[in-house]
Amino acid sequence: MSDNRSEKDKNQWNSTFTFLMAMIGAAVGLGNIWRFSYVLYSNGGGAFFIPYFVAIFIMGIPFLILEYGLGATFKDSLSNILKKIRPQLEVIGWITAFLVFLVLTYYVVIMGWDLIYLILSLFKGWGSNPDNFFMTNIVVGSNNLNGITSFVIPTLLATLFMWAVIWFISHKALDKGISKVVNILIPLLFILMAIIVAYSLTLPGMFNGISALLNPNWNLLLDINVWLAAFGQIIFSLSMGQAIAVTYASYLPKNSRLVDNVLIVVASNSGFEIFTAFGVFSILGFMSFTSGMSINEIATSGTGLLFVVFPEIFNVMGDMAYIIGPIFFLCVLFAGITSALAFLEPMTLTLSRKFRLPRVRAVTMLCIFGALLSIIYTTTSGNYLLTIADAFINQFGIILAVILQSLIFGWSYGVDKLLPVLNEYSTIKVGRKWELVIKFILPVFLAIMWIIGIVDLFKTQSMLDIIIQLIIALLFIVVPLVLTILPSREDI
């Protein structure tokens, strides 16, 4: 009897709380810490909250409701769901899951950098010039492929170690692996970030940072790029259309309050990134106060903020930096691990279901393949390749996947079929307005975003950049095509 129960439970969350922690962990990633504060600052400050919340309500919440509804209704992988709607659509599910897996292959490298900096933060091992240290010891190389055969050994070792951590957690049954980890790491992440923000609000100059962050530029509300930035932030922050929510929702027990859970996840994600932005800009205000530089000169996005600006700040913070520094890099690591687990899960479920593979075998195969792909980003040309891959996969691949899903489920499948399962246990109900958003508003906004994004992407590209992007495109089309064509073992 107990054996039957464990067999059933290993493919189901052991509680709604665990599902919420997993979904919040999937949403709260590196981008919430390094990206949102700069997006807010550079797109109108306080005025940016208007397009930000509009994007949440007309895109983020409706699409996540769709994904939760699909996962809870079909209890299957995205590719199998699409196959049941129309066999020819199966490949789109594979492309979506594989795109997210490709993101994971360079995401793990950044987690490796963070692991190195977590250790360095114990003794400020980046020295007096963090910018020079980062460029000569961590990423090295330049904007070409000359260094494709030489490795940055610390980055290589840290990346392989992070793959081992992901394998160790993911290869276990759901209730023994991912469930246990997210239940510990997500509450810890929120507590540690609260400590950082609380401390940052005591720093001299913090008010200047927050004022710079929130100072509204109402004129920018007329700029379409600001609205596109808001919609882009929500897509990537909530991991929309990446098969993650469909996969995680497929592990839910039958009586789940789906719509309520969506609102909790969205509120937690937005609350975390807004709260973190206050901490980031309080600390940048302190840096401005001590260095005499303007906020505009210091504020940046991406890896430069994490691995250059923050170490510079810790260098002038005094002894307190030996506490705040490790806590900060630990927060980044926790956010990275929970997101990485989510990035791996769609391919794990899809492979397991189609080819009747035990979870341990599917995860082991994926982690070995992923680690081999990651190695290319640990060369001295790695940062150059990472930048190209990240921009191309996000701007071209993932937004296109979201557009296709909203069209398929809105028009070919008919989202009204999901209403019974969505509304059965939920306190908040959805209906006709939600259907209209999925069928009309979402595809239009996303198509505009996709077209503008592609134009921007190719505007400043060199021939080498375009060739690399074509190779990536070939990879995320050919591999899913092969996996689609291979005969299924589901019914054997």
Side-chain angles (χ1 to χ4, degrees), residues 331-351:
C331 280
V332 176
L333 190 65
F334 288 173
I337 288 171
T338 55
S339 293
L341 296 173
F343 291 156
L344 183 63
E345 199 61 23
M347 276 300 286
T348 300
L349 179 66
T350 310
L351 277 178

Side-chain angles (χ1 to χ4, degrees), residues 21-318:
M21 290 303 98
M23 277 307 306
I24 292 167
V28 173
L30 303 180
N32 295 68
I33 297 171
W34 82 32
R35 189 173 188 267
F36 175 74
S37 57
Y38 184 75
V39 171
L40 173 60
Y41 169 71
S42 59
N43 286 281
F48 181 74
F49 283 117
I50 292 174
Y52 176 75
F53 284 112
V54 168
I56 286 174
F57 284 105
I58 74 166
M59 183 178 70
I61 291 172
F63 199 86
L64 274 189
I65 290 172
L66 168 67
E67 293 190 284
Y68 282 29
L70 289 166
T73 300
F74 287 92
K75 299 286 183 188
D76 213 335
S77 65
L78 180 61
S79 62
N80 273 355
I81 293 170
L82 289 164
K83 186 179 177 182
K84 288 169 186 173
I85 294 170
R86 191 175 293 174
Q88 301 93 317
L89 298 175
E90 181 189 352
V91 68
I92 294 172
W94 281 104
I95 288 172
T96 304
F98 190 64
L99 274 172
V100 180
F101 178 75
L102 287 178
V103 171
L104 177 62
T105 62
Y106 59 79
Y107 197 86
V108 174
V109 177
I110 300 169
M111 290 165 61
W113 296 346
D114 181 71
L115 179 64
I116 293 168
Y117 273 76
L118 174 59
I119 297 165
L120 294 174
S121 66
L122 299 171
F123 54 95
K124 298 184 184 176
W126 45 71
S128 58
N129 190 338
D131 187 16
N132 182 60
F133 178 87
F134 184 61
M135 296 311 296
T136 56
N137 293 282
I138 306 299
V139 296
V140 200
S142 56
N143 292 334
N144 55 54
L145 295 179
N146 293 343
I148 198 76
T149 55
S150 50
F151 295 98
V152 184
I153 300 302
T155 300
L156 174 63
L157 294 176
T159 300
L160 294 176
F161 177 79
M162 291 315 307
W163 270 112
V165 170
I166 292 164
W167 173 84
F168 180 75
I169 298 167
S170 285
H171 87 281
K172 298 180 179 181
L174 203 67
D175 58 335
K176 292 183 174 68
I178 296 175
S179 295
K180 283 188 175 178
V181 170
V182 296
N183 280 342
I184 295 168
L185 292 194
I186 294 303
L188 253 181
L189 171 61
F190 278 68
I191 291 166
L192 293 176
M193 189 53 76
I195 292 169
I196 291 173
V197 175
Y199 174 72
S200 73
L201 294 175
T202 68
L203 293 170
M206 72 88 184
F207 184 74
N208 294 338
I210 292 176
S211 297
L213 174 70
L214 297 179
N215 183 36
N217 184 344
W218 301 110
N219 293 331
L220 285 181
L221 290 179
L222 300 175
D223 185 347
I224 189 170
N225 289 313
V226 170
W227 289 82
L228 293 175
F231 277 77
Q233 176 64 26
I234 297 305
I235 285 177
F236 305 126
S237 181
L238 291 175
S239 301
M240 282 175 53
Q242 296 172 35
I244 293 169
V246 173
T247 303
Y248 274 4
S250 74
Y251 303 147
L252 273 168
K254 193 176 188 314
N255 59 348
S256 301
R257 297 180 174 182
L258 298 174
V259 179
D260 303 29
N261 289 341
V262 168
L263 297 179
I264 292 168
V265 169
V266 172
S268 300
N269 178 71
S270 295
F272 181 86
E273 62 186 10
I274 292 168
F275 184 66
T276 301
F278 276 81
V280 168
F281 267 76
S282 294
I283 294 170
L284 293 181
F286 165 72
M287 180 67 174
S288 174
F289 177 80
T290 55
S291 68
M293 297 167 68
S294 70
I295 296 286
N296 202 41
E297 291 176 89
I298 303 167
T300 184
S301 182
T303 53
L305 177 68
L306 289 190
F307 304 122
V308 176
V309 176
F310 268 90
E312 285 173 353
I313 293 167
F314 295 141
N315 277 352
V316 298
M317 196 176 271

